[in-house]
Amino acid sequence: MALQTAIVLAAGEGTRMKSSLPKVLHEVAGRSLLGHVLHAVNQLQPNDLRVVVGAGSEEVTAHLAQIAPKATTIFQETRGGTGHAAQLALAGKTSKGTILILAGDTPLLTADSLKQFVEMHAQGKFAASVLTAEHSDPTGYGRIIRDDNDELLRIVEEKDASENEKYIFEINSGVYAFDGEKLGAALGKLTSSNAQGELYLTDVIGILKSAGESIAAVMIDDFTETLGVNDRVQLAESAAMIRDRINEHWMRSGVTIIDPTTTWIDSTVHLAQDVTLHPGTSLFGKTTVESGAVIGPRSTLTDCQVKAGAQVLESIAVETVIGEGATVGPFTYLRAGTQLGDLSKAGAFVEMKKASLGTGSKVPHLSYVGDATIGDGSNIGAATIFVNYDGVEKHHTTIGDHVRIGSDTMLVAPVIVGDGAYTAAGSVITEDVPAGAIGISRSEQRNVLDWVLRKRKGSKSAQAAEASSDKKKK
Ligand code: UD1
Ligand code: CA
């Protein structure tokens, strides 16, 4: 199947979104609405891909440069209707071969449906084909008018429809395939004598039909594919449908998803067989998860690599590598540039960023680890803080292999703790600690005997002290 040209109409205002962001740039499942449409269209490998932009054209064009650098963008300055947009896209040049036209706000359309549709069109050698759908509530859509032989006569817009026509449930999906040369000629005959004073692309169908051309109208199997996004309610509905599709795909590929309704996976994520996802898990961006890993509940991973058998519980991670068999959480925040080695641990209430933790090393509780390199087999005691920021610049801390950092140590960077070294609990470490040494930096303890008995006479503490076996012995 050869597709000569694909034209995506995306110049509309998207007024009902009530947004400063152009409608087609709103995202579902990690892709813009326009991105979803182009992803499907690109699988048909059009020789020529054109996108008509208008409202928010600068942002849309910049986005297109990233996601579809081969696409030609065509600027429609004022909204003249879908027919006007198509005229601009062809720029008066008639081209041979099949032209596919569709809108940029229908993220649910699949490449398979588009392929079938274009193949049917090409095989039947039709002048034009329209993809239709049956909607229980057709309000707002163009209606498909068929003759007594069930053949497509024309399309009538809601605003131009008679009361009887409004009772037709077969609607125009806004996806068309045309014979290039015939489209070019018919576009020149459009007029704006309709309720909206616009050039309707849909009128091309009636024009071709009156000229005796053969037209096809094919109904799609699953009408939900044709649902467009015009407001935030429809945005959420489409997102939920795409979520279900993605989850179904992964479950059929061997991923256990305990609660598919609260599990959100971007279309750009990759999961291996025998991954388990608990409720409330979101996997975004380029995240990949290897076999046997268990994630969630309530965890969000963005652009992360999770290696085989790792476990992530109630945590958030961004641009982090989680090693084989490593454990994370609960309530752990791993920021960009974190690398957890195999069998390592980032435990409860631990925050890390730009830090690597060697094989089998552990940060079990309540710590901040920023700008650090930690070797293998080391343990970072509870409530240790890597003091990486002097108020002006960030500095690095290096911890060797098999180090024991005592609880509540402040490691004031830049500082190095050598292999096998210890730090005493509560120390503020500002100097390097050589391999095998213990770094102690805290004032010596002094006990003022009977202070409570004298200064807090009669208090519960004083009474407890009086009664204590310790005291009685004296
Ligand atoms: C259009 C169809 C309608 C169909 C419906 C399917 C026409 C006249 N009507 O109606 O039969 O049922 O789609 O969703 O075509 N656009 C431009 N430039 C313009 C006008 C529109 O690029 O001047 C783009 C819009 O951004 C959008 C698409 O064309 O992506 C459709 O336009 P829209 O205004 O949404 O048309 P509908 O009224 O929904
Ligand atoms: Ca629309």
Side-chain angles (χ1 to χ4, degrees):
M1 183 203 66
L3 178 59
Q4 176 51 34
T5 306
I7 299 172
V8 180
L9 306 182
E13 299 277 343
T15 331
R16 283 171 285 169
M17 293 298 283
K18 303 207 169 127
S19 177
S20 57
L21 186 71
K23 175 170 88 172
V24 290
L25 298 192
H26 281 261
E27 286 192 1
V28 292
R31 261 197 199 117
S32 64
L33 298 177
L34 185 56
H36 281 281
V37 173
L38 292 177
H39 185 73
V41 167
N42 271 327
Q43 291 174 60
L44 279 70
Q45 299 175 312
N47 293 329
D48 184 7
L49 174 61
R50 303 181 190 190
V51 183
V52 182
V53 301
S57 63
E58 275 176 30
E59 273 174 275
V60 179
T61 305
H63 178 62
L64 280 167
Q66 286 190 334
I67 63 162
K70 284 187 194 148
T72 311
T73 52
I74 288 123
F75 181 57
Q76 185 188 28
E77 200 170 352
T78 50
R79 186 191 164 93
T82 48
H84 179 239
Q87 284 176 351
L88 290 178
L90 292 181
K93 282 176 281 176
T94 51
S95 58
K96 279 194 163 62
T98 299
I99 299 182
L100 174 71
I101 303 188
L102 70 174
D105 62 356
T106 48
L108 290 149
L109 273 173
T110 63
D112 281 351
S113 295
L114 291 177
K115 270 183 204 160
Q116 266 183 34
F117 174 65
V118 170
E119 255 158 39
M120 179 286 312
H121 168 82
Q123 271 166 18
K125 296 199 166 61
F126 296 106
S129 301
V130 182
L131 187 65
T132 74
E134 201 151 56
H135 280 211
S136 54
D137 178 10
T139 313
Y141 288 96
R143 307 297 205 284
I144 299 297
I145 312 292
R146 293 177 183 265
D147 66 15
D148 296 340
N149 300 324
D150 225 24
E151 282 187 18
L152 177 59
L153 272 182
R154 60 192 171 88
I155 298 171
V156 63
E157 289 307 295
E158 167 98 15
K159 289 185 176 134
D160 302 285
S162 68
E163 281 312 305
N164 280 343
E165 286 168 339
K166 284 184 186 159
Y167 279 102
I168 296 170
F169 294 95
E170 188 182 6
I171 60 98
N172 167 25
S173 71
V175 179
Y176 320 85
F178 293 101
D179 172 286
E181 288 169 314
K182 287 174 181 162
L183 172 65
L187 278 175
K189 296 179 187 154
L190 291 178
T191 70
S192 56
S193 52
N194 52 53
Q196 301 183 73
E198 292 182 349
L199 299 182
Y200 289 170
L201 178 57
T202 45
D203 285 349
V204 164
I205 301 300
I207 291 169
L208 289 171
K209 183 74 188 176
S210 310
E213 299 287 357
S214 64
I215 313 283
V218 255
M219 198 185 287
I220 196 164
D221 294 333
D222 176 6
F223 84 94
T224 61
E225 279 195 35
T226 65
L227 293 174
V229 172
N230 295 307
D231 59 28
R232 311 255 186 171
V233 174
Q234 291 171 333
L235 185 71
E237 287 167 355
S238 301
M241 283 189 256
I242 291 179
R243 175 202 63 205
D244 290 347
R245 257 191 212 167
I246 291 173
N247 287 346
E248 198 177 317
H249 164 78
W250 289 120
M251 289 188 281
R252 295 202 188 285
S253 311
V255 172
T256 295
I257 301 182
I258 306 294
D259 180 12
T261 58
T262 62
T263 304
W264 294 83
I265 304 170
D266 277 356
S267 38
T268 40
V269 165
H270 192 269
L271 307 176
Q273 204 173 298
D274 290 318
V275 161
T276 300
L277 304 179
H278 285 287
T281 293
S282 298
L283 303 177
F284 295 144
K286 295 187 188 83
T287 296
T288 58
V289 185
E290 289 179 13
S291 178
V294 178
I295 301 177
R298 290 170 293 281
S299 295
T300 301
L301 307 186
T302 306
D303 298 327
C304 290
Q305 266 184 61
V306 183
K307 302 275 176 73
Q311 299 201 22
V312 178
L313 180 65
E314 301 260 10
S315 292
I316 294 177
V318 180
E319 291 174 40
T320 288
V321 179
I322 300 172
E324 228 176 279
T327 59
V328 174
F331 316 116
T332 304
Y333 181 29
L334 303 176
R335 293 159 55 200
T338 300
Q339 298 206 17
L340 305 184
D342 295 348
L343 301 170
S344 68
K345 172 175 183 159
F349 303 103
V350 167
E351 175 177 344
M352 295 179 69
K353 76 120 202 184
K354 275 197 197 154
S356 67
L357 192 56
T359 304
S361 288
K362 292 176 177 160
V363 190
H365 338 266
L366 297 158
S367 291
Y368 173 63
V369 182
D371 300 298
T373 311
I374 300 169
D376 299 338
S378 290
N379 191 78
I380 310 300
T384 292
I385 303 295
F386 285 61
V387 184
N388 61 330
Y389 187 45
D390 59 14
V392 182
E393 279 179 274
K394 303 282 167 67
H395 301 281
H396 196 85
T397 298
T398 304
I399 308 281
D401 296 336
H402 299 285
V403 166
R404 296 284 172 272
I405 299 293
S407 291
D408 201 27
T409 297
M410 299 289 133
L411 295 159
V412 182
V415 72
I416 298 171
V417 179
D419 292 336
Y422 280 47
T423 66
S427 291
V428 177
I429 301 295
T430 54
E431 304 290 335
D432 292 352
V433 181
I438 183 166
I440 308 174
S441 142
R442 60 188 188 204
S443 52
E444 246 173 65
Q445 182 172 334
R446 184 165 71 96
N447 292 337
V448 181
L449 296 179
D450 293 338
W451 184 93
V452 176
L453 301 181
R454 282 185 277 114
K455 299 281 191 186
R456 298 287 182 270
K457 221 177 192 153
S459 70
K460 288 215 163 121
S461 302
Q463 286 164 17
E466 289 282 9
S468 114
S469 49
D470 249 30
K471 273 316 290 165
K472 278 181 195 147
K473 264 185 248 154
K474 283 192 188 162

